[in-house]
Amino acid sequence: MAQCVQSVQELIPDSFVPCVAALCSDEAERLTRLNHLSFAELLKPFSRLTSEVHMRDPNNQLHIIKNLKIAVSNIITQPPQPGAIRKLLNDVVSGSQPAEGLVANVITAGDYDLNISATTPWFESYRETFLQSMPASDHEFLNHYLACMLVASSSEAEPVEQFSKLSQEQHRIQHNNDYSYPKWFIPNTLKYYVLLHDVSAGDEQRAESIYEEMKQKYGTQGCYLLKINSRTSNRASDEQIPDPWSQYLQKNSIQNQESYEDGPCTVTSNKNYDSNLLSLDGLDNEVKDGLPNNFRAHPLQLDPSSDTSNSIDGPEHVKSTSSLHETKKANIGIIHGACLTLTDHDRIRQFIQEFTFRGLLPHIEKTIRQLNDQLISRKGLSRSLFSATKKWFSGSKVPEKSINELKNTSGLLYPPEAPELQIRKMADLCFLVQHYDLAYSCYHTAKKDFLNDQAMLYAAGALEMAAVSAFLQPGAPRPYPAHYMDTAIQTYRDICKNMVLAERCVLLSAEILKSQSKYSEAAALLIRLTSEDSDLRSALLLEQAAHCFINMKSPMVRKYAFHMILAGHRFSKAGQKKHALRCYCQAMQVYKGKGWSLAEDHINFTIGRQSYTLRQLDNAVSAFRHILINESKQSAAQQGSFLREYLYVYKNVSQLSPDGPLPQLPLPYINSSATRVFFGHDRRPADGEKQAATHISLDQEYDFESSQQWEELEEEVVALVNKGVIPSSFHPTQYCLNSYSDNSRFPLAVVEEPITVEVAFRNPLKVPLLLTDLSLLWKFQPKDFSGEDNEEVKELVTSEPEMIGSEVISEFLINSEESKVARLKLFPHHIGELHILGVVYNLGTIQGSVTVDGIGGLPGCHTGKYSLSMSVRGRQDLEIQGPRLNNTKEEKTSIKYGPDRRLDPIITEEMPLLEVFFIHFPTGLLCGETRKAYVEFVNVSKCPLTGLKVVSKRPEFFTFGGNTAVLTPLSPSASENCSAYKTVVTDSTSMCTALTSSASSVDFGIGIGSQPEVIPVPLPDTVLLPGASVQLPMWLRGPDEEGVHEINFLFYYESVKKQPKIRHRILRHTAVICTSRSLNVRATVCRSNSLEDEEGRGGNMLLFVDVENINTSEAGVKEFHIVQVSSSSKHWKLQKSVNLSENKDAKLASREKGKFCFKAIQFASQSSEKYTFADIIFGNEQIISSASPCADFFYRSLSSELKKPQAQSSVHTEKQSMEDAVKLIQKCSEVDLNIVVLWKAYVVEDSKQLILEGQHHVILRTIGKEAFSYPQKQEPPEMELLKFFRPENTTVSSRPSVEQYSNLIKTSLHYPESFNHPFHQKSLCLVPVTLLLSNCSKADVDVIVDLRHKTTSPEALEIHGSFTWLGQTQYKLQLKSEEIHTLQLKACFVHTGVYNLGTPRVFAKLSDQVTVFETSQQNSMPALIIINNV
């Protein structure tokens, strides 16, 4: 149990005190009424004696009584009604609430820290009032009247006669059978005559004379003159006199109710009746006139006019506001004891002392003696009191029957003069004067008698008081007999069906057990008496039981909480809303955050409901909020009901302050860090063949790698625009901000361009949520960024649509446990600083709360297809935590977060806005296929744009054509096959010879040192005016590798008018192209052995081209036609086709391979920049390869090839300083020849035949080395053994390779193809052979020609068919730069046959080299001669 103000040793004597009746004349009542008090109330503060009192027991032993208190009350002839008592108790409890500033005790039990109020004053008030208001009963005499004060006034005409009347009246009430109430202790009641004298108005001499007369008539011990009202009431304001009555009257009066202060519309539970306000002693607020014997109804009598259903557990009713306030006013102004001085206070105190000392105690002493004598002398009573006591102490016990064996004889009644009752009377008298030893003996004796007679009600009463007496005996000679109390409680409750007496037993016994620290037994006792008949009693007892559990040596925290919940529930049923709320709140401390989610929900729900009933709306909202925001395990129906309740309460809160700030709503959850902000218009959907640039949209997922690529592209173009340097103020353009982007700077938005905020909502409940009228909440400061900021900055919030327009989503449905994003737009119409604060919406749920399939209302769809059950308007803020800082030491050691400014854009002046559309843009191409498409550029803003460029990592994929109109074909209709190329019809005669043309790479935007990735877009006049659109052709070429290619285009443009904040803008486009295999071209170039050519100059080569159709027909390709092979070089050109077959069409069906051989010749270049294009045509029209787009793609592939790191140079950069000689040797093997193979493919698609065209490039750099049109896959290196030691650092020799040496000297044998010789005439056949040696380098070369056959084995000489060179077998020559030398040789044959003359071995070295590098000239191709015999 909770701590009490009084100890149990003080509580019990105060609860059982001698009762004295007061009977006043009307005049005497009038005198006391001047102080707004009845006579009994007047005495109440002084009813405790200030000194010890002595009396003698029947054995003439002196007995001391300490702190004796007497109870004086007016005579009331009607017993109190139980309903009225219940009402009074209810009011007492509701009137006692915990003090506002009370500091609660903190109890630490295990891992719980609980704030618990240590005291429960409402329980103490209840207990005191309960014990005081117990009606007198026949089986006990504790609250029967022992004496009666007869009070008359000295101002009456005949005071002595008045006393006689009062005496007769008392006698009539006591002895007349008409009055069964009140109860009197003994027939001979003490009468004490009191004369009241009003000092301020009365005649003192007369009073004294009347008093003398009284003393003679009644004796000095039986009367008293009490002087009061020493000051007049009009002097009341002069001095402040203490008011000792207020505490007693407030405690026991129904008037004072704290709940009045709750304001209008408060639901008070049966506290306020419309009857007159009644004080405990039953005097109305107005003095009633009438007879002196006008006995009023008991104060606890229910007013007949009030409804009988208004008992304590009946329905509640609301008292009207006006009557509440009137009552309150009537109560506040009353001053008690206004006519009394402190001297009067002392006189009243003296009067009580005199009455007790001279009247009451002698009367009690005499009565005890008489009762004792009667009991001892009474015949038929086998045991005197003292013999019984002796037996008890000697230990002989009468065996007691158990309660269950006794038959139900609670109806047995004794006559008033029965000896058993006389023992009980004596015991009660001894108990009242604190003679507990004697009282115990008497109770014990009476108990046995009652049990023998099976008078159970009497026996229970004796057991109860025997237990209390045993406990209170000084020196505690025996332990507290708790089993007596248990038997008494069981008897009262089960046999006598008297819950009031059972409750008294429990209250007393629990206090006694608590004082002995037997908390567990006390709790069990308290819980045992909880029942359905009284919610208030059950609530209070359960609460005390909970306090028992928490006060145990090892506190039982969960039991405490559980019983607090039960108590709260019963308080709620009893209409005690405040106490119910308090209990639930205290229990909540235990359940909170321990994972008891369903229990937590129940408590929060109840707290919410009770708070709402008590109009503590903020508490109610917060409790309901808790139910909704924790991850609830409740069923969908339960969650729906919680949500509706919450909305209802919230609605009421918001109605109280409709103009207040919008409340923060708990649902749905918002993942603030997932908020994305997009600046700009939504992308237009594709319109037929028109496809808008993909740009950036909120539908795209963030990809770190691609965002890095876009940043690099933007940096590349910005660097080019700023002459190779990226300005320090440059930051990559960010159109979409998310949790991955850099949000440390204020983003820039453009006026009149929408800002879209994507908010990520999540509904944690199992019921759908419907958000209506959803929009963004913002704050805006208009500013002028261009000039000085003269205008004052005024803050505008939310209500200025002419500054910032807001889009409102009329309905947004989030299904149960669904995550969903809402995209909300703002339209800035003014420059300045915008701060997006959060979202504002109406939160509601759908009628019926069933999950709706499908989606909620889309933006702009004001369909209203869901019926709202209820909704409240509120807001949620978007607060985004920035990234954690981790740069400085201080930041690393502490937890600091940087700013995240994605929601605080700066609105800048208007900028041009470009939209790009692609027309006839393909999604699939063959590798190398060229296709013509169109690009449309539209300026949709009000500003002209300029400086349009496009940058891409794959410049070889597209071209806008050359710089000059001549080079760019006008339209696809220029040829018979709607070719994308510029074509010229040719005649069939020029089939085998090449047609040449030339072009410079500068014409195609690829000059020296320029960045081929950045391509200026050829706008007419370089400016695109507002609203204007331009269509430009764009040629595309399928990448050489098959597969899916993502090709990024970044369009860069600027405003004509330079803006301080935004320098440029960008537009992105990602083209996805799927390429399938077409042709595979391999080419090799080798020196021709013939030295002379048609033009008489040296230096010609043979070019072998292999073309294979590797298409697997997945694109429906029937066959490829090679229509043209072109060369492009600064020094070489194709001259003619060598292997012209009969079939002039070069067709390749699937998996076929074609081989071509061309002759290439060297020529003197006119310009270092110009490339000469030579076309060899296989069809009947020439594609001009030096025009767009053929040349464009050639140059682009050339430049991308040049960008690739060269293998040999990248290996050892430190060996760049190779000797000049070696360079010269290497130069001999270099060739600069590029081949373009142009083809057409015939495709069947949807039973229509299409002709596709394309081109492949082969770049030849080295003689004899095969080159390919497609990138070669690098073979992974084979696994090497791990070396455990460091190899010696060997210098890489700068010796040229064998191949490079073999290209120093070109050799050529001239001889007849067949030679006829008459072997029968001459056995040796001599054939003249000319050996031509040509120096290919620019340096002098020493040459050694060795004609001796290289002997591999001895058998080789005997091989039939060998021949011999005659004459000199070795020649040493020196060849000057590019010199041609002729050697005349003779070969000698002895047989007919076919011989290979290519046996001379040629060695070469550079003349000026110190070291002789000798290496064998590779055997040249076979030189076959046929020797015939004639």
Side-chain angles (χ1 to χ4, degrees), residues 478 574 630 842 881 992 1048 1168 1192 1242:
R478 58 182 58 80
N630 295 334
N842 296 326
Q881 189 180 56
C992 51
N1048 293 336
S1168 63
D1192 298 59
Y1242 291 85

Side-chain angles (χ1 to χ4, degrees), residues 847-886:
Q847 199 77 47
S849 291
V850 286
T851 307
V852 177
D853 292 326
I855 55 164
L858 291 165
C861 299
H862 301 275
T863 53
K865 54 178 167 177
Y866 308 113
S867 57
L868 267 176
S869 58
M870 186 185 304
S871 69
V872 292
R873 187 123 185 108
R875 65 186 279 180
Q876 275 200 70
D877 291 343
L878 290 170
E879 290 167 356
I880 305 174
Q881 189 180 56
R884 185 172 170 184
L885 301 174
N886 202 21

Side-chain angles (χ1 to χ4, degrees), residues 617-644:
L617 297 178
D618 290 342
N619 290 354
V621 164
S622 122
F624 282 121
R625 183 189 181 97
H626 275 294
I627 309 177
L628 297 174
I629 61 176
N630 295 334
E631 295 294 337
S632 175
K633 295 185 173 65
Q634 301 282 4
S635 66
Q638 191 63 52
Q639 287 184 0
S641 104
F642 284 165
L643 181 60
R644 284 192 297 278

